[in-house]
Amino acid sequence: MNILVIGTGYVGATTAILLAKLGANVTGLDLDEGKIKQLQDGILTFYEPGLEPLLQEQLQEGHLTFTTNAMAVEQHEIIFICVGTPSRYDGSTDLSAVRKVAERIGQQMSSPKLVVIKSTVPPGTQKRVKRWIQEKQTKPISFDVVSNPEFLREGNAVYDAFHPDRIIIGSDTEAAGKQVHALFNAIDCPVVLTNPQTAEMIKYASNAFLAAKISYMNELARLCDEIEVSVTTVAEGMGYDPRIGRSFLQAGIGYGGSCFPKDVRSLLSLGAELDTELGILKRVVEVNHSQYRYLMKKVKRKLGLLRGKRIAILGLSFKPETDDLREAPALAVISELMEHGALLKVHDPVAKLPREMQFPSIKSFPTIEETLLGAHAVILCTEWKAYVEGDWESWRRLLTEPYVFDGRNVLNASRLKSLGYHYEGIGAR
Ligand code: UDX
C-alpha cells in the first residue's frame, strides 16, 4: 500500500515512520527542502527519544522515502494531511496550510483518493476540506475525507505511536472508516468509529480536559500554600480514586507546548463564534497565564530587589525529553526576570535559548554546575531527570545564596531543607 504523508513536522514525521513500520510504503512530502534533505539522510529535525533509529531503519528497508515534489499526490491513493495549524492572533486556528493541501489534492486528482486529516483542526474542518477539494477538481472523481486525530505526547512519541490509548476515526461512510482502521490493524487498542465532527471534537475535548485538570490543581496549589498543606500529597490522595485518576494532577508553573495552549484557545474561539459560553475553559487559561507570575511573586518576596541578582534557570523546554520551546513557561519566567534587571544563567539538556532572548544579561552554560556557580537563587522550570536526581548536596556549595524555587514540585523539599536550602514550591512543602 502506498501512502503519502503531507507535512513532515512532529506529527507528520512520526506518522510516516509509524505507517512504514506497520508495513506500508510511505512517502513524506514537504516543501521545505532543508527538512526533506535532513530526513532523507536519516536525521530528525526535532529532538524525540528513540525516533531517529526507527527513521533510519525504515529508510534502509526502503519502506520510507521523502520528497519535495508536490506532484506526488497523484501517485498515491491514501493521503495523510499532517501540516501545521497554528493559532491566529484572536485564538482561532489558521487553516491556510490545510486549505492549500486540500486544493492541491483537488487540482491533481485523477483517480479516487482517501484523504485522512491528522492535523489538529477545529470541529467542522473535515466538511471544509471536502469542499476545498471539490472546488478545485477539474472532473468529478470520488474521494473520502476521514478525520483521524493524533494524541502523541512529545518525548513519548515512539511509545504513544505504537501503544495509543485509543484510535479515533471520524468518517461519513463506513467503508472509508474501515479502510483507515485497516491501516492500524496491527495496533491493539480501542477504536471509536464516529462521524468526522465528533472525531474532531474528541481531540479538542481531550486536550482541553487535561489542561483543565492541570489548572484546577494549580489554582488549588495557591490555596494549599495559604493553609500549609502539600498539594502533591493532596494529588496523591485524590489520584487513588479511579474516577479522578493520578495523571495530570501535578501542580507547577503551568502547561505549555504546541497543543494545550493552542487547542484551548481554539475551542474558546469556536465557542465565541457560536455564542456559547465556555466559562470553565476561560478560567483554565487565566490560571495558566497567571501561574508563572505566582512563582515570580514568591521569588520577589524572598529575594527582594532582583536587579543585579544572579539567578540560575534549570530547564527551558515546555516539558522534559523535548527541545520544544513553544509556550514554555520558562521563557515567561526569564522575560519577567530580565525586566527586573536580574542576571540570568540558564541550562537545558537539549533546548537552546531562542535567538530573540540572547542578551548580555543572560548566559547559557553547558553544565548544571557552571550554571549554579555564584547564583543567588535557582528556579527549576522543567523537570529534567538530571535536575530531579541531581547532586543537590554538593550543588549547595556552588550557590551564593541557597534559594531554590521548584516550579514543577518535583524536588524533595524536606531533604533540600535539611541540606540548608530555602525551598519554595507551588503548594509543595
Ligand atoms: C499533549 C497531549 O498530552 C497529547 O495527547 C496531544 O496529542 C498533544 O498535547 P504534549 O503537549 O506533548 O501532549 O505534552 P503533555 O505531556 O500533555 O504536557 C503538556 C503540558 O502540561 C506540559 O507543559 C507539562 O509540563 C504540563 N503538565 C502536564 C503539568 O503542568 N502538570 C501535569 O500534571 C501534566
Side-chain angles (χ1 to χ4, degrees):
M1 187 174 315
N2 293 333
I3 300 178
L4 181 68
V5 175
I6 304 183
T8 58
Y10 190 78
V11 169
T14 311
T15 302
I17 295 166
L18 166 75
L19 290 168
K21 184 82 184 161
L22 293 178
N25 287 318
V26 184
T27 304
L29 167 68
D30 205 296
L31 299 181
D32 182 334
E33 283 182 15
K35 210 189 248 183
I36 289 298
K37 173 83 187 64
Q38 253 184 280
L39 288 165
Q40 279 167 338
D41 291 343
I43 303 165
L44 280 180
T45 52
F46 50 87
Y47 176 83
E48 181 60 43
L51 195 59
E52 211 165 69
L54 279 181
L55 164 69
Q56 289 160 3
E57 176 197 282
Q58 292 310 307
L59 284 169
Q60 257 161 27
E61 290 188 8
H63 298 315
L64 185 58
T65 49
F66 291 95
T67 183
T68 50
N69 182 2
M71 296 310 284
V73 166
E74 195 24 53
Q75 295 135 26
H76 296 82
E77 187 205 340
I78 303 175
I79 302 167
F80 276 73
I81 302 182
C82 299
V83 293
T85 50
S87 273
R88 285 208 201 88
Y89 69 94
D90 62 352
S92 63
T93 301
D94 179 355
L95 291 173
S96 54
V98 174
R99 180 173 187 159
K100 246 189 214 151
V101 168
E103 291 181 343
R104 176 155 297 145
I105 294 171
Q107 276 155 7
Q108 290 186 23
M109 196 183 286
S110 64
S111 59
K113 304 278 176 218
L114 172 63
V115 177
V116 185
I117 308 175
K118 269 250 176 243
S119 303
T120 298
V121 292
T125 303
Q126 179 265 6
K127 262 196 203 112
R128 300 172 74 186
V129 169
K130 268 172 71 178
R131 203 181 64 233
W132 291 330
I133 294 177
Q134 231 153 21
E135 282 170 358
K136 293 289 171 183
Q137 279 186 325
T138 47
K139 49 183 182 248
I141 298 169
S142 71
F143 67 92
D144 286 288
V145 179
V146 174
S147 164
N148 173 222
E150 188 48 71
F151 296 93
L152 292 172
R153 290 165 302 168
E154 293 188 27
N156 288 78
V158 175
Y159 182 84
D160 287 356
F162 290 95
H163 308 91
D165 303 316
R166 74 293 210 191
I167 293 175
I168 307 294
I169 299 170
S171 176
D172 293 323
T173 67
E174 205 185 323
K178 280 191 176 156
Q179 215 183 331
V180 174
H181 188 184
L183 298 175
F184 302 107
N185 247 347
I187 292 178
D188 181 25
C189 74
V191 175
V192 178
L193 272 167
T194 181
N195 61 54
Q197 182 131 312
T198 308
E200 291 163 341
M201 186 62 183
I202 289 171
K203 165 76 189 194
Y204 268 47
S206 302
N207 275 357
F209 182 74
L210 293 172
K213 264 184 121 175
I214 298 169
S215 277
Y216 175 70
M217 293 313 289
N218 281 343
E219 198 166 44
L220 278 192
R222 304 178 194 183
L223 182 64
C224 286
D225 265 337
E226 293 303 318
I227 59 172
E228 300 188 358
V229 156
S230 159
V231 73
T232 311
T233 314
V234 171
E236 185 193 347
M238 289 165 68
Y240 286 115
D241 183 334
R243 293 169 303 174
I244 297 172
R246 300 182 81 124
S247 58
F248 283 73
L249 298 182
Q250 182 74 19
I253 44 172
Y255 60 78
S258 63
C259 295
F260 287 179
K262 170 170 88 87
D263 295 351
V264 174
R265 276 197 299 264
S266 180
L267 205 49
L268 280 171
S269 152
L270 185 66
E273 198 186 305
L274 300 173
D275 205 13
T276 303
E277 175 74 16
L278 295 173
I280 293 176
L281 279 189
K282 273 190 194 154
R283 185 65 195 147
V284 167
V285 174
E286 279 165 18
V287 171
N288 200 53
H289 277 162
S290 51
Q291 197 65 4
Y292 81 89
R293 291 204 186 99
Y294 180 72
L295 181 77
M296 287 307 305
K297 265 193 210 151
K298 286 183 179 236
V299 173
K300 287 177 210 157
R301 206 178 306 138
K302 293 286 173 188
L303 301 187
L305 267 188
L306 296 178
R307 184 156 302 281
K309 292 257 162 72
R310 286 182 298 277
I311 300 184
I313 303 288
L314 295 183
L316 294 172
S317 55
F318 82 97
K319 70 173 197 179
E321 300 303 331
T322 175
D323 59 354
D324 199 337
L325 291 174
R326 282 176 286 180
E327 313 247 2
L331 301 186
V333 168
I334 289 174
S335 296
E336 181 150 347
L337 287 168
M338 287 199 350
E339 270 173 36
H340 285 86
L343 303 172
L344 300 178
K345 306 182 78 187
V346 305
H347 179 269
D348 189 286
V350 295
K352 302 266 173 290
L353 202 61
R355 205 168 292 148
E356 64 273 16
M357 280 199 158
Q358 291 176 1
F359 294 103
S361 59
I362 173 166
K363 269 190 100 172
S364 293
F365 291 88
T367 66
I368 301 173
E369 286 74 13
E370 285 167 275
T371 315
L372 300 185
L373 190 64
H376 295 101
V378 186
I379 305 180
L380 186 148
C381 291
T382 317
E383 66 276 33
W384 285 94
K385 207 168 162 191
Y387 310 145
V388 181
E389 295 176 3
D391 184 1
W392 288 93
E393 190 169 354
S394 60
W395 290 350
R396 165 71 188 83
R397 289 190 287 276
L398 301 172
L399 297 168
T400 297
E401 299 268 3
Y403 285 102
V404 172
F405 298 91
D406 181 359
R408 293 293 175 182
N409 288 353
V410 285
L411 301 175
N412 185 330
S414 44
R415 176 153 183 273
L416 258 66
K417 284 177 193 165
S418 73
L419 291 173
Y421 286 98
H422 303 304
Y423 175 90
E424 281 285 333
I426 298 183
R429 47 195 56 253

